[in-house]
């Protein structure tokens, strides 16, 4: 019989995160935030709670922290609002829930769980998702809650650049993907994964990235592993990243580490897809894999010390 | 060198399609519609046109025909409107485009292609997708165009049942999934896939099914195959159906036929996911695979006669 175990990993986004652009104060704030989030999840696992609850708790902690581009601190859309996406999946029965383009929901990950548990659907979008949220008794949080000075300044820069660039596509802030996510294995042997994001600064046209797409940004299956991605979403969708990691393990018997390395450091690099992912397999092995300069990340397991890291080396 | 070849397959939905519920007249109408659509696609391939153009032409033909649940003939949502989803993908460079929850667009597949070719994004949703369509010069087709007596009657039944069932989830028409799709291999050796749908009758909450999800409802990759699905979308999302077929070929060296059989007749059946798919591989082999009573389908290839079929046996 397998030794009793639990594991949890989280990310707070990947991208161009350089040591020389970071202050000691800012670095400390990120590390504190990551530590708080992973401990919120670990605390549940320690008490024999479920991977699903641990994933949700860790993501709520990250959503509530303005440092990350999810929940409070979500970036501004072109129309100066906040549109968020989230998804969650459990590995025991492959149930999943996702929301895209939702506004004024404090914790999108909670809404995605409600979709999974209280609707017959997997994915709800826009106005319709809001109607469902109302029906489920969710409070609508005012715009002011989501406002942060830093995100507003980023948005103003992006809008200004857009004007100068005469409608060319925005590049600002593309190089930092602040999506958050969590994956966990609980003591009952169940896996779960979740992802939550505010999307891209100044985004238009109801753009949906990989975060709410089961198979692309999020996937969990007790047969092998649980995965949550962060990066340039369009590439992650086309590469079906999360499910590809699963398939390399399931069909080619690769280890978690090898599967993640091939997908992130070979296949994604080849098509120009910057970003990374966190993953945990059914044995509790953890992979924190990215091809960008950094990824806000943390992990801990029953038999493994807490790791909190930002940069590549 | 490989012998010059082209192949194309289409579907007009799968589900409970029983011989004893069909009139000779209706059957003829469906067969005529399927024949017109596949010949529209084949005509392009014959003239050395691209798989992408052939897939688009075949789907436009199906969208324009009120018999199928896509474009004209799309089912009514809970709010008595039409919300449609579509996606398209090319196998040579993995470019993809998708739209979800769009209204008043005559041919959603054309809009998904515009997203692929004229935006940096893969997936656009709701109002934002409409703004993009406007910018691209799409005409907005009035609601009256999408109205068909049969769909309106289905909607009225669904609403009536809903009232009686006191808000329980709707079951009406769930057993027929009228999504349309096409897959093709062209003489240049390129693959493409596309899918278009009006979703579920009386659907609420901005529900998004598998049709606009790359990896679930649609996938194309010259390395192996192109796939378009139709069925109970929630199961197809959780099973990442289209990409799973690809992975079984890519990682386990299964044939197209064997990969489709395992996914549709074993894995989907196991989780209760009713429906089917059409697929073509890089050699031009075609699979029309479903686990329901019927699937509206047709196929033709350079070295293979036209097949037009509806039932299981």
């Amino acid at each position: 019989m397998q030794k009793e175990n639990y594991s949890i990993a989280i990310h707070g986004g990947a991208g161009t995160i350089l040591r020389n652009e970071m202050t000691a104060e800012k670095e400390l704030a990120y590390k504190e935030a990551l530590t708080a989030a992973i401990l919120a999840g670990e605390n549940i696992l320690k008490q024999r709670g479920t991977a699903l609850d641990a994933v949700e708790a860790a993501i709520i902690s990250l959503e509530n922290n303005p440092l990350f581009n999810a929940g409070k601190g979500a970036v501004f859309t072109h129309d100066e609002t906040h549109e968020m996406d989230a998804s969650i999946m459990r590995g025991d029965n492959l149930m999943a829930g996702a929301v895209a383009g939702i506004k004024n929901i404090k914790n999108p990950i909670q809404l995605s769980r409600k979709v999974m548990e209280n609707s017959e659907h997997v994915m709800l979008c826009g106005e319709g998702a809001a109607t469902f949220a109302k029906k489920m008794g969710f409070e609508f949080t005012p715009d002011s809650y989501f406002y942060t000075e830093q995100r507003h300044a980023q948005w103003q820069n992006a809008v200004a650049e857009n004007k100068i660039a005469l409608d060319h596509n925005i590049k600002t802030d593309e190089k930092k993907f602040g999506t958050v996510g969590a994956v966990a294995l609980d003591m009952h042997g169940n896996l779960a994964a979740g992802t939550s994001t505010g999307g891209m600064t100044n985004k238009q046209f109801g753009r949906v990235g990989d975060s709410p797409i089961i198979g692309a940004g999020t996937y969990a299956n007790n047969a092998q592993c649980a995965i949550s991605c962060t990066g340039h979403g369009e590439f992650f969708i086309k590469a079906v990243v999360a499910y590809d990691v699963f398939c390399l393990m399931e069909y080619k018997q690769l280890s978690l580490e090898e599967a993640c390395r091939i997908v992130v450091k070979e296949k994604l690099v080849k098509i120009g897809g910057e970003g990374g992912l966190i993953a945990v397999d059914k044995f509790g092995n953890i992979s924190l894999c990215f091809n960008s300069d950094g990824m806000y990340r943390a992990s801990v397991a029953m038999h493994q010390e807490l790791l909190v890291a930002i940069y590549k080396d």
Side-chain angles (χ1 to χ4, degrees), chain A:
Chain A
M1 212 187 122
Q2 202 185 314
K3 200 167 68 175
E4 199 166 66
N5 201 1
Y6 69 75
S7 290
I8 181 165
I10 61 170
H11 68 74
T16 310
I17 310 168
L18 299 170
R19 259 205 190 81
N20 57 14
E21 287 172 7
M22 185 74 90
T23 63
E25 194 187 5
K26 219 169 133 188
E27 197 177 297
L28 182 65
Y30 274 108
K31 288 193 169 173
E32 281 176 351
L34 290 166
T35 306
I38 196 141
L39 293 184
E42 191 199 13
N43 193 39
I44 288 168
L45 298 173
K46 260 186 186 166
Q47 297 172 52
R48 312 189 62 82
T50 67
L52 191 68
D53 286 340
V55 161
E56 187 185 20
I59 292 177
I60 287 173
S61 176
L62 294 164
E63 284 176 339
N64 291 349
N65 193 310
L67 287 173
F68 305 103
N69 176 21
K72 183 169 180 66
V75 300
F76 285 84
T77 65
H78 188 68
D79 300 328
E80 209 175 345
T81 62
H82 303 276
E83 279 183 21
M84 298 168 288
D85 307 331
S87 64
I88 198 161
M89 186 166 187
R90 46 191 291 172
D92 57 343
N93 61 8
L94 305 186
M95 290 286 282
V99 287
I102 56 160
K103 295 179 186 176
N104 303 101
I105 298 292
K106 191 183 171 196
N107 293 109
I109 196 70
Q110 288 185 309
L111 183 56
S112 71
R113 184 167 175 176
K114 274 285 176 198
V115 172
M116 174 172 78
E117 292 175 349
N118 292 76
S119 87
E120 285 196 343
H121 304 310
V122 169
M123 188 171 185
L124 302 184
C125 210
E127 286 297 311
T131 306
F132 176 77
K134 203 171 286 174
K135 206 176 159 183
M136 290 292 122
F138 276 74
E139 267 181 51
F140 285 79
T141 310
D143 288 340
S144 58
Y145 169 79
F146 297 94
Y147 178 92
T148 58
E149 211 177 318
Q150 187 213 354
R151 297 300 187 196
H152 197 254
Q154 281 176 346
W155 172 80
Q156 283 175 318
N157 285 340
V159 169
E161 277 184 37
N162 199 24
K163 271 187 195 145
I164 292 162
L166 286 171
D167 238 342
H168 278 188
N169 286 298
I170 310 290
K171 295 292 177 196
T172 303
D173 208 37
E174 263 194 11
K175 288 292 178 190
K176 212 188 105 214
F177 312 108
T179 298
V180 307
V183 293
L185 169 74
D186 64 31
M187 287 205 237
H188 315 285
N190 289 320
L191 292 164
T195 310
S196 179
T197 189
M200 294 166 88
T201 297
N202 199 23
K203 74 176 168 192
Q204 278 180 283
F205 304 138
R207 178 255 185 186
V208 177
D210 64 312
S211 301
I213 308 286
I214 299 302
T218 301
Y219 188 72
N221 187 329
N222 279 3
Q224 295 293 352
C225 59
I227 299 126
S228 169
C229 299
T230 174
H232 197 145
E234 278 70 16
F235 295 95
F236 282 65
I237 292 175
K238 289 182 276 188
V240 203
V241 168
Y243 194 62
D244 201 25
V245 170
F246 171 83
C247 287
L248 283 168
M249 297 180 72
E250 179 79 2
Y251 300 146
K252 292 197 83 174
Q253 283 78 51
L254 298 191
S255 68
L256 182 77
E257 201 190 328
E258 184 64 0
C260 291
R261 192 191 61 75
I262 288 176
V263 172
V264 175
K265 299 194 173 174
E266 292 181 12
K267 295 173 86 167
L268 273 173
V269 168
K270 212 170 149 187
I271 60 170
E274 190 180 348
L277 57 79
I278 52 169
V280 55
D281 71 13
K282 61 184 170 183
F283 306 112
N285 296 310
I286 293 167
S287 175
L288 312 166
C289 193
F290 54 100
N291 61 34
S292 47
D293 289 317
M295 180 167 80
Y296 298 109
R297 60 201 188 275
S299 67
V300 71
M302 188 186 255
H303 310 290
Q304 196 180 298
E305 297 299 326
L306 175 67
L307 170 91
V308 181
I310 299 177
Y311 312 106
K312 194 154 54 184
D313 322 291

